[in-house]
Structure formats: structure tokens, C-alpha cells
Amino acid sequence: MNAASRLRVAVRALRRSPVYAITAVLTLALGIALVTAAFSLIDAVLLQPLPFANADRVVELGQQDAQARTTGVSYPNFLDWAQQDRGGAILDFGYARGRGSTIRVKGEAHPVLGSAVSDEFFRVLRPKLLAGRFFTPDEAHRGVRDVVLSYRLWHDQLGADPRVLGSIVTLGEGDFLVTGILAAGPAYPDWGGDGFFIPIPTVAATDRVLTARDFHADSRAIARLAPGATAERATIELGAIAKRLAAAYPAEDGPWTAVGMATLRDRLIGGAQSRLLILATAMMLVLLIAWVNLTNLALVRGSGRVREMAIRTSLGASRSQIVGDLLIEQLILAGAAAVAGALAATWVVGLMRGFAAGAPGSEGVHIDVRAMLFAAGMAIVSALVIGALPAMRAARIPLTEPLKEGGGTGFSARQQRIRSLLVAGEIALASMLVISAGLLVKSFWALSHVDPGFNTHGLVAIDFSPPGPRYAEPVQAGAFYTAMLAAVHAVPGVERAALTNHMPLNGAALPTSVVIPGRVADSSRDPQVLFRTLSPEYTGTLEIPVVRGRNFDAADLGGGNAVLINQTFARTFFPGVDPLGRSVMLRKSAQGYPDYGEPLPGVIVGVIGDVHHFGVQSPPVPEIYIPYTRNPWAHMVVVARTDGSPAALIPGIRRAMLAVDPAIMVSGGVFGGFAVIDDIRDGDVSGQRFNMLLLGGFAFCALLLSAVGIYGLVAYAVAQRTRELGIRMALGACARDVVQLILGNGGRLIAGGIVAGLAGAVALTRLIASMLFGVSATDLATFGITTVILAAVALVACYVPARRASRIDPVVALRE
């Protein structure tokens, strides 16, 4: 029999069992769709190379203290590292200083975020260009104003106009010649904006931060390892330089005695790698459960074909031909499942994309040729796995016994044990997923009930900057912010309004050092302090309690040294001591103003409640607050509490702000313009919600497949024991006795699977430990509740055929 004939035979056999064929295709398609989508994400994020030449030789650097806390590298320190490590493990150093700016398009200014970069930055990073060239160090030092645009900026803001290359664009810093446009793909550094690159010498004269050895924010330092050099060697060499700088500049570099180092891939991918590992594990567990179900289904179907196989053998068919035909049937089913699964994967991959949110390559992931080939490979593997046991059984069919009337059509005790073990394994796999999903549910519940420290309901925030050089001086900026606050407060529907440089929950912050007279600083233990500027209305608008002392008042805006601290600051720096009236010394930290770094003395007049600045998953940190007029910021946030829908008042607030100065930009910044704080609060827990729903969906699929597997096994066992059960009932057994007998057998099977699943869950939940909040990875309550739910579902799956068996007519059963 040739291949075409054998294929026709296999198709006819499947057409005689349509229910089996459809069930097998749909079950396997579900598993293939899930693993193919997971492969597409893993391939795009972890397997594809970064768009930088020899990216595995590029590392990101940071200054590190004795507590292994890592911060950015100040520009003076970067220059010292580059100078003192010549000929060492580092081939080249690169530096990027983040900066907000504007770009004028058709006469309108649009906010953008970009970088001022050092001479060697592009030589270190080696990104791909779509067109043009990089600017050279010689041009930068001769004062030539060149700019390289990111693909996103060129495409989104400039309409992908090819004429932009070689033309002049107007940024906030002035006119620049576009020398190059980067290719599409992951950007570094990604400040969350559009992206442009200008030489540091262009802004060095006006950006005082570049001279501050103790300023670490908004910076990225990278290095390319020399040929043959290792990251460990580079860490040791730069660590020695860091210690020398700490000794030479104890006030600025005293705490930073070591160097932190991470590969560029690790820095860009972040936590996506562990999340994708969890995703792949969950997908494989679902696929394994599908395999077990289909193997059992194939064994049941094969038991009804024993007589057919024996007849074919007696007519001259070899055992290898029979086994081959069975495998061809499975290959046909797997092929159909692969097509359906690949099509479904295009939808599933969109749902899973959140597991790799922010990682390079995750946004444009799709089902491509590689994914299709993977689906085909999984189909072949699935066919072999599912068909293995039925084929082995067919190979051992005796030639005479099945041909006897009534003989050889069922399972032997050994074969029934194999099926039972498969179902127990299925229950174990489902237990692992259900318990993991239960932990994420409890984690999400705990996270969603964290008090952020202020009332988010009814708040809307507007991030904006003074438009142009008219507000270049701090006094002018302060007056502008005051006028803006008054205009927003006058909008109908606004109950209260306030100013701050950084809103809670959004993560934007500036760490600062604080000197407290009479207290010896401990650089190895003291945490960094967040520097915040406020208007007196801030605490009332956000409904943050003043727990001790007083709030700012109007007099503090005009002068004086009043500062506020939060409760964490008080506990950290004044344990057991009343902080009110104590003096502190800060430094002005508003970037872009000529008074940056000047001393800023303060006296603590009040302690306010803690807020979660970096999100509700992060505990409150020490914060110190000053009146916004004492150190006006280059950008501010006005936050308003409304008496209705915050979103409905956005147009009115926008008009009021533009009335103060029509040139103001209220369409960019940290919030992209306007933000409803309830939405930010919701977004803060959206990642946990996504993890919970996605893994919960997989757990539901696993639970459903397991229930179907248990039902099929028990139903088949009942059918095999119909005569035995009829005899029991004829001898006096009641319906309850039959139900108890079957549930007892099924219960032992379920118990064994759950015990094995608990052991596996302990290992699996360690993988998701980093995704949990407020709950242990071995939380006994969650383990107990989810186990009860799983056992209940499994027992229901046993009870249905058991109940049917209890209604057997003994007379009919004895006739069979």
C-alpha cells in the first residue's frame, strides 16, 4: 500500500469517529495556540538580537553604595572614569543626559524628550541608521549644532518626510542640522518620549547639572568591553577608580564606593525575562494536560478497534503497518490542530503581550514564519506523544483472542492503571496552575486595597512647563506658576487646586542629600530623600493629613525657611525625637536655572502623612517638601480636585491655562498632558490584574481539561464494570453504595494527583514569587482553598458517571 492509499485509509478511519476527531483537533489546537503565542513573544524579546552591533559587549554602568543601591553616574564622575581607565577593560565609554525640549512643526511647538550625548556615545552603542550619519566629536567641539533623530520622532512628529535629512529643525535649544535618522526598533536610552540626540558640548555652557558631581538623575552611562575583557574585570577596575573618587570627593562621592554593571540586554529587557519564563511554563503545563487527555482518548478509541486491528493482522497487515497507520491518523489530527492553533495564536499573542510590556521587540510581535514552523514542529511532537501508547498497544495485539466472540475489546488491569496514572498526572499539573492563579488573585486583592496615602477620587493632574525664555529666571517662573494655579482654581467645578513638581504614583522623582546639624550622616545606611516642591494647597487638595505641626501658609511663599517632611523621613532621621523646629540643609535642585546647587536652609514646621510615590507596590520613602516659590522647577504639575467627573473638566482647565499664556504646552510631559489620577491608580495595579487574569485563564483551561479527563476515565470504567455493578445491585447494593464505590475509587485517584500537584506547586510558585505582593509563595490559606476547589471540581466530574451508574437496571446489566 502506497503513501496516498494509507493516507486515504487514515482519513476514512477518522471520518468514522467524528466526535473523537473534532475533540482531538480542538483540544490540541488550544494547546498549540498557547505555546505558539508564547514562543512568538520569547522569540521576539529574548532570542532576536538587539539592533546594536555586538550588543553583548555593551554594559550599562551605575554608581553603587555599600548597600548595593545603584544610581546613575554623574557627568564629572563619568569623565574621570573614562580618563582613568584608558587601556583597561573598557574599550569606549558613552554618556547620555536626558532632557526635555520642544520641536517646532508647522509653526507649533511640541514637547519631546531626548538626550545630550558624549563624543563616544554612538561609537559605544552602534545603533543602526535608517539614513544619514552620526555627528562627529570634531563637529561638536567646533560648535556645529547637529542632531540625530529617532525613528519615532521622525515618523510621528515629522511625518516620515525623507526631506528632513540634511534640513534644519528647531528644538528648544535652537536650530539644528539633521545629520541622521535611526532605524526603527528598540531605543536606548528610552526616556519614554520621542527621542533626539544632540552633542553635550551644545548644552554644556547652560546646563549646570553637567558640573555637579553629586547629581545622578536623568543620566545613562554605557561602556563597550575591550576584546577579551570580562564584565567582572571591568567592575573591579572601575570599582578601584570609584574608591579613589570617594576619597577625593567625600561630600559628593563618599557613599559611592563601587560600580554596578548590567548588560544592555538585561537593562532593556528588565523583568520581562522571568515573566516570559513563567508564561512558557504555564503554556507547557496546559499543553501537557491536553496531551494526557488526548492520549487517554486515543487509548479508549483504540480499545474499540482491537478487533479491527486483529482482523487486519490476520489478513496480512504487518504490525509496523498498523502502528504506522495509527500515527498517520494522529499526524492528520495534529496537522489540522496546528493550522487552527496558528490562526488562534494571532489573537492569543495580543493577550499575552502584557507579560513582556516595555521589553524591546514586544510591541510589534506577531505570528511569523518562525512561529508557523514552531507550530508545525509542536504538531509533529504532539502526534508522536499522543500516538505512542496506542501504537505500542496495537503492536502487542494477540492474533486470536480479539477474534473470539466478545473477547479482547477492553483494557487489561495494567492498561487501566496506566490511564489512571495519566489522569492523576493531569490533576497534578492542573493543581500547579490553579494554586499559582490563586496566589495571584490574593496578591491582586492585597495590592488593590493598599492605601496610597491620599484620596485619588476626583483628581486630575496637568503636567506643563513655562514656554520659552520669558520665564528663565526663578522669580519669573514662580510668578507664572502662581498665576496658573489661580486660573485653574477659578474653573467652575474645581473645588481645590495645588502645585507640585512631582505627583505621587507616577514615579518621577529627584533624590537629594540632606544635612542635619548635630546628626552624623551614615552613607552606608541612610536612604535617599526625595526633593519635592509644593503649594500650601497641596495637602488639602490631595487630602493628605498633617499629623504634626502645621502646613505651609501664604507667608511661607514670600520668604522664610519652612519645610515639611513625611512620616518616613521623621522615623528615619529623628527616631524617638520631635522633629519640629529642627534645622536641615538642602541644595537647590531645579535643573536649568542658574541657582542650581546653592544652599537651601530649612526648618521643619510640620510632618505630613506618607504617600506611595513610586506606586502602591513600593513602600513610602523619606520625602522633604519646600514651598514652590523657594526653588521654582523647570516644569510643574497642577492638580485639581473636582466636584464631578475629572475628565469632563479637562477642556475647561485647558482653556484657563492657555488664557494665562497661549504659548504654554499642555499636551506633553510626564502625563502626556492631562491625567485622571484614578486612572493612574488603576494603571498602577493593571500589571497585577493582567497577570492574574491571564494565568487564571490558563488555570481554568487546565481545570476544565482535567475535569473532562476524569469524567472520561470514570465513565469508561463504569461502562467496563456494568455487569459487575448489576450483580452488586442484584445482590442488594443500593444506589448510594454504587455511588460511594465509584467516588471512592475516583477519590483515591484525585488525592494522589493533588498530593503530587502540591509538591509541584511549591516549585512553580517560586517562579512567580517576584510577581506577588503581600502574600507568600507558599501561603497555606491559598494552597488549602485552591486545593478544595480543585478536589470539588474533580469529584463532581466523578459524580456524574457515578450517579448514572447508580440507575443501572440489574436485569439489563446481567443480559449484557
Side-chain angles (χ1 to χ4, degrees), residues 43 69 72 102 161 180 238 251 283 297 414 427 442 446 500 502 544 547 586 612 620 630 665 734 737 778:
D43 181 46
R69 296 177 302 190
T102 60
D161 186 352
L238 294 179
M283 298 304 92
L297 194 60
R414 177 176 175 274
I427 296 171
K442 188 170 183 179
T500 182
H502 295 131
I544 300 172
V547 296
L586 311 172
H612 290 260
R630 292 193 66 198
M665 293 172 295
C734 63
D737 295 329
T778 54

Side-chain angles (χ1 to χ4, degrees), residues 423-502:
V423 173
E426 191 174 10
I427 296 171
L429 296 174
S431 296
M432 296 164 64
L433 277 177
V434 170
I435 290 171
S436 298
L439 289 172
L440 287 175
V441 170
K442 188 170 183 179
S443 174
F444 175 75
W445 187 91
L447 189 63
S448 61
H449 285 77
V450 172
D451 181 6
F454 66 103
N455 182 8
T456 63
H457 183 66
L459 288 180
V460 61
I462 307 96
D463 191 317
F464 66 100
S465 301
R470 286 173 291 166
Y471 308 102
E473 295 296 326
V475 174
Q476 296 169 325
F480 169 75
Y481 292 142
T482 300
M484 192 65 67
L485 177 61
V488 173
H489 192 271
V491 173
V494 173
E495 294 181 340
R496 295 186 294 274
L499 288 168
T500 182
N501 59 337
H502 295 131

Side-chain angles (χ1 to χ4, degrees), residues 3-4 17 45 57 102 263 288 360 505 523 594-595 598 613 668 672 735 745 813:
S17 304
V45 175
R57 305 294 296 167
T102 60
T263 66
L288 284 173
L505 297 182
S523 59
D595 60 353
E598 291 182 1
H613 189 81
N745 293 335

Side-chain angles (χ1 to χ4, degrees), residues 460-464 488 636-640 653 657 666 671 673-675:
V460 61
I462 307 96
D463 191 317
F464 66 100
V488 173
M636 288 294 279
V637 177
V638 59
V639 56
I653 294 174
M657 297 176 70
V666 288
F671 300 127
F674 294 86

Side-chain angles (χ1 to χ4, degrees), residues 190-472:
D190 181 10
W191 306 110
D194 303 271
F196 64 87
F197 301 87
I198 59 176
I200 280 182
T202 304
V203 297
T206 57
D207 192 347
R208 291 191 60 186
V209 164
L210 293 173
T211 65
R213 191 173 289 274
D214 58 349
F215 187 90
H216 306 276
D218 302 331
S219 66
R220 297 288 187 273
I222 57 176
R224 181 170 290 274
L225 298 176
T230 63
E232 291 75 15
R233 175 187 160 193
T235 301
I236 294 172
E237 290 180 1
L238 294 179
I241 298 174
K243 290 179 181 178
R244 292 199 297 268
L245 294 176
Y249 306 98
E252 298 90 349
D253 283 344
W256 311 108
T257 56
V259 171
M261 188 174 296
T263 66
L264 190 62
R265 176 174 288 277
D266 287 344
R267 184 60 68 202
L268 289 174
I269 293 175
Q273 183 166 347
S274 60
R275 293 195 301 270
L276 287 174
L277 176 62
I278 295 167
L279 176 66
T281 302
M283 298 304 92
M284 286 307 302
L285 288 176
V286 174
L287 183 62
L288 284 173
I289 293 172
W291 283 351
V292 170
N293 252 352
L294 293 179
T295 299
N296 268 329
L297 194 60
L299 286 170
V300 170
R301 178 171 177 262
S303 69
R305 302 177 66 189
V306 170
R307 191 177 180 85
E308 170 196 341
M309 299 302 170
I311 292 174
R312 287 186 60 187
T313 302
S314 66
L315 293 177
S318 67
R319 296 183 187 274
S320 61
Q321 286 179 326
I322 293 175
V323 170
D325 288 343
L326 291 176
L327 291 178
I328 289 173
E329 291 179 17
Q330 293 300 328
L331 285 171
I332 292 172
L333 295 175
V339 174
L343 293 175
T346 60
W347 175 73
V348 174
V349 74
L351 297 179
M352 295 182 181
R353 193 175 288 123
F355 256 72
S362 62
E363 293 182 1
V365 64
H366 61 282
I367 303 302
D368 56 11
V369 174
R370 289 163 62 92
M372 293 290 187
L373 292 175
F374 177 83
M378 290 307 303
I380 295 173
V381 172
S382 299
L384 295 176
V385 170
I386 296 167
L389 283 177
M392 290 170 59
R393 183 167 187 254
R396 297 190 180 99
I397 294 175
L399 294 177
T400 56
E401 188 65 24
L403 297 178
K404 297 177 182 179
E405 186 176 354
T409 60
F411 279 105
S412 66
R414 177 176 175 274
Q415 292 162 346
Q416 188 68 20
R417 283 196 300 272
I418 292 175
R419 290 197 65 211
S420 298
L421 286 174
L422 287 173
V423 173
E426 191 174 10
I427 296 171
L429 296 174
S431 296
M432 296 164 64
L433 277 177
V434 170
I435 290 171
S436 298
L439 289 172
L440 287 175
V441 170
K442 188 170 183 179
S443 174
F444 175 75
W445 187 91
L447 189 63
S448 61
H449 285 77
V450 172
D451 181 6
F454 66 103
N455 182 8
T456 63
H457 183 66
L459 288 180
V460 61
I462 307 96
D463 191 317
F464 66 100
S465 301
R470 286 173 291 166
Y471 308 102

Side-chain angles (χ1 to χ4, degrees), residues 436-444 617 688 691 765-779:
S436 298
L439 289 172
L440 287 175
V441 170
K442 188 170 183 179
S443 174
F444 175 75
Q617 296 190 68
Q688 278 278 358
N691 296 339
T765 53
R766 291 180 180 177
L767 290 178
I768 67 169
S770 61
M771 299 166 61
L772 300 178
F773 175 85
V775 58
S776 166
T778 54
D779 181 66

